[in-house]
Amino acid sequence: MKRILVTGALGQIGSELITKLRKEYGADNVIATDIRTADSEVVHGGPFEILDVTDAAQMNELVSKYKVDTMMHMAALLSARAEENPQLAWHLNMGGLVNGLEAAREHHLQFFTPSSIGAFGPDTPKHGTPQDTIQRPTTMYGVNKVSGELLCDYYFTRFGVDTRGVRFPGLISYVTPPGGGTTDYAVEIYYEALKTGKYTSYIDKGTYMDMMYMPDALQAIVDLMEADPAKLKHRNAFNVTAMSIEPEMVAAEIKKHIPSFEISYQPDPVRQAIADSWPDAIDASASKAEWGFKAEYDLATMTADMLQKLKTGIPQ
Ligand code: SER
């Protein structure tokens, strides 16, 4: 991993991933790409190119131009957005992935793309969800993610492409808000706590989902990509998680810092149904055993850090 092209670089994960990679691998060795541009550090802090991931020719040109050896493919629609426009989700999520994998095959790239807890469905065991288990998701996002997991495995076994990936839980961060995900409540709640002192959750009380703080998610990507391939029994779709939480737990933790904080509930039927179809708590033991995955932050330390960073308006 010496020269890395990242797609979806202005998205929730991409924008912080770029900063971390540029620090660790050198600013010139990290090529940020996105379908749009912005006045941000991602664009000004190193090479940046406009890239529509559904355009294979353009993607190949950039891979050649910058002589990259690694692609991190982050461009995708999240679960709730995908449910609003399933056809677009298939086109972007699958079309982009196939183009990325083909570029990786042709140019011998190491390849990372994230799957998600959204790759599971209502028939999946809800507690201690194993690494290898029944999936059968009922959302378009989940269909995309399962297909992507299988496709990445296929490119490894059939073409020898060094594909690697994790199943991310909901990711919580203070830099770039997620857009159109089911787990977004766990980000919004911190912004609203500081802004208005209250939050109306579109996810109902008692709905458990896995979550992780962004620094742990970024470290997981780097650790998996740097892991000794001889130790990997799986390649893609490693379960990773730091906490299994429901909205009331986040609210209780925020109250320790802002005692007057209040949460209320107004479940959104679409996102609630998606959340109900996902596991409560997944098991990350395969990641721990095969490449030493470890999350540093729990709900308490994450909450303290989120509130402090948001309050001081930490620049990216
Ligand atoms: N955070 C994502 C979503 O809610 C799950 O991968 O869509």
Side-chain angles (χ1 to χ4, degrees):
M1 196 159 68
K2 293 199 173 66
R3 272 175 91 74
I4 310 159
L5 184 142
V6 180
T7 70
L10 291 169
Q12 190 204 10
I13 304 176
S15 54
E16 285 182 72
L17 181 62
I18 292 291
T19 310
K20 183 180 178 72
L21 294 175
R22 282 185 177 153
K23 244 183 239 153
E24 293 191 15
Y25 298 90
D28 288 345
N29 293 322
V30 180
I31 294 84
T33 73
D34 204 288
I35 195 160
R36 63 191 172 92
T37 187
D39 189 12
S40 76
E41 198 40 41
V42 169
V43 174
H44 303 306
F48 176 85
E49 298 272 358
I50 297 279
L51 171 63
D52 173 352
V53 293
T54 64
D55 183 340
Q58 200 189 5
M59 188 184 272
N60 274 299
E61 254 168 53
L62 291 180
V63 167
S64 299
K65 175 175 168 188
Y66 288 97
K67 299 189 171 44
V68 301
D69 62 17
T70 304
M71 184 184 294
M72 294 192 179
H73 178 57
M74 317 305 288
L77 285 196
L78 289 181
S79 57
R81 278 280 320 275
E83 230 37 59
E84 276 164 23
N85 196 338
Q87 292 79 5
L88 174 66
W90 181 268
H91 177 66
L92 176 66
N93 292 358
M94 298 315 298
L97 179 60
V98 170
N99 289 342
L101 285 167
E102 272 298 290
R105 182 179 70 78
E106 276 177 39
H107 299 269
H108 307 287
L109 312 180
Q110 197 188 13
F111 186 86
F112 175 91
T113 200
S115 183
S116 156
I117 51 169
F120 296 118
D123 299 328
T124 302
K126 276 212 171 301
H127 304 279
T129 307
Q131 176 63 42
D132 302 305
T133 186
I134 189 161
Q135 297 193 241
R136 312 284 311 165
T138 48
T139 63
M140 177 48 93
Y141 183 68
V143 170
N144 295 164
K145 288 302 184 189
V146 174
S147 310
E149 292 178 1
L150 295 173
L151 201 59
C152 288
D153 280 349
Y154 180 81
Y155 267 71
F156 171 65
T157 50
R158 176 76 168 79
F159 301 121
V161 177
D162 185 359
T163 55
R164 304 186 188 195
V166 297
R167 288 186 186 121
F168 273 136
L171 297 181
I172 296 163
S173 61
Y174 55 84
V175 177
T176 306
T182 300
T183 56
D184 298 9
Y185 88 83
V187 178
E188 290 170 9
I189 193 169
Y190 291 103
Y191 282 83
E192 290 303 313
L194 288 170
K195 215 161 67 187
T196 66
K198 52 187 195 302
Y199 179 65
T200 304
S201 176
Y202 62 80
I203 291 294
D204 209 358
K205 190 192 264 197
T207 308
Y208 281 81
M209 286 184 277
D210 283 284
M211 304 277 174
M212 183 149 73
Y213 200 30
M214 189 60 86
D216 283 331
L218 303 180
Q219 195 56 50
I221 295 175
V222 171
D223 288 348
L224 175 58
M225 292 300 271
E226 297 284 9
D228 176 359
K231 298 215 171 97
L232 300 180
K233 288 196 205 89
H234 300 82
R235 305 283 313 187
N236 299 291
F238 276 101
N239 284 1
V240 290
T241 181
M243 60 195 95
S244 161
I245 55 174
E246 54 94 31
E248 205 71 10
M249 289 167 69
V250 188
E253 206 53 52
I254 291 175
K255 267 179 196 273
K256 292 183 187 163
H257 302 264
I258 308 170
S260 59
F261 177 70
E262 276 172 30
I263 187 166
S264 57
Y265 295 90
Q266 211 174 319
D268 162 44
V270 174
R271 285 177 290 182
Q272 185 63 41
I274 296 175
D276 288 339
S277 78
W278 290 355
D280 289 356
I282 64 173
D283 170 42
S285 54
S287 300
K288 291 176 187 159
E290 294 178 40
W291 50 278
F293 165 71
K294 188 172 176 299
E296 298 291 337
Y297 287 88
D298 60 14
L299 179 58
T301 50
M302 177 183 78
T303 299
D305 199 61
M306 269 299 275
L307 291 174
Q308 193 240 321
K309 295 283 173 28
L310 284 176
K311 231 187 301 186
T312 49
I314 286 292
Q316 196 186 318

